[in-house]
Amino acid sequence: MSQWTPICQVDDIPVLGSRRVARDQGLDVAIFRNDRNEVFALLDRCPHKGGPLSQGIVFGTHVACPLHNWTIGLCDGQASAPDEGCTPGFSVKVENGQVFLDANQLASHATDQIRPIAGPARRVVKA
């Protein structure tokens, strides 16, 4: 049985926007709201180069990654073809305008994923 953690009110999430939820371990979770007031939750990391999906543009049931414009499905985290990859999703429910996330998933789901470190490539020189 799921235990639910209250996060915010639906109205606290901008229409066609998102809100980030910090976790004790792992990357933040992004909560998205579309123009039909549907709410979705994904790890705040694009499967391509690790871009912050919370900064992307929401349209319908998708979000466009702000780095390279990959389209990620909000329902399942899948990248749209021809791109390939998936970002982990989180169970979300809305009751009386309150948004909840599954407490167990917040504590343990996808906590091993990290954001890539940007910077120049380095070549290892052997002596």
Side-chain angles (χ1 to χ4, degrees):
M1 184 170 202
S2 294
Q3 293 183 345
W4 297 95
T5 299
I7 302 299
C8 64
Q9 295 294 316
V10 171
D11 291 339
D12 294 334
I13 307 167
V15 175
L16 300 179
S18 68
R19 190 178 169 126
R20 285 189 340 227
V21 177
R23 303 193 295 167
D24 292 335
Q25 291 185 331
L27 298 174
D28 292 348
V29 174
I31 302 175
F32 302 92
R33 177 180 173 197
N34 67 13
D35 58 352
R36 290 175 281 186
N37 286 324
E38 296 172 311
V39 179
F40 309 88
L42 297 174
L43 190 69
D44 192 19
R45 181 185 190 279
C46 179
H48 176 226
K49 296 283 184 178
L53 293 176
S54 61
Q55 295 177 23
I57 297 171
V58 174
F59 57 100
T61 57
H62 293 84
V63 62
C65 178
L67 293 185
H68 301 102
N69 208 33
W70 274 37
T71 300
I72 309 300
L74 294 172
C75 298
D76 59 7
Q78 284 292 134
S80 297
D83 301 322
E84 295 179 358
C86 186
T87 193
F90 291 78
S91 298
V92 61
K93 75 173 183 174
V94 177
E95 287 184 354
N96 300 319
Q98 177 82 41
V99 177
F100 297 85
L101 291 177
D102 183 299
N104 294 327
Q105 287 183 350
L106 275 176
S108 62
H109 189 49
T111 56
D112 60 335
Q113 296 206 17
I114 58 171
R115 194 166 315 281
I117 298 172
R122 298 186 187 268
R123 190 170 53 146
V124 176
V125 178
K126 294 184 180 181

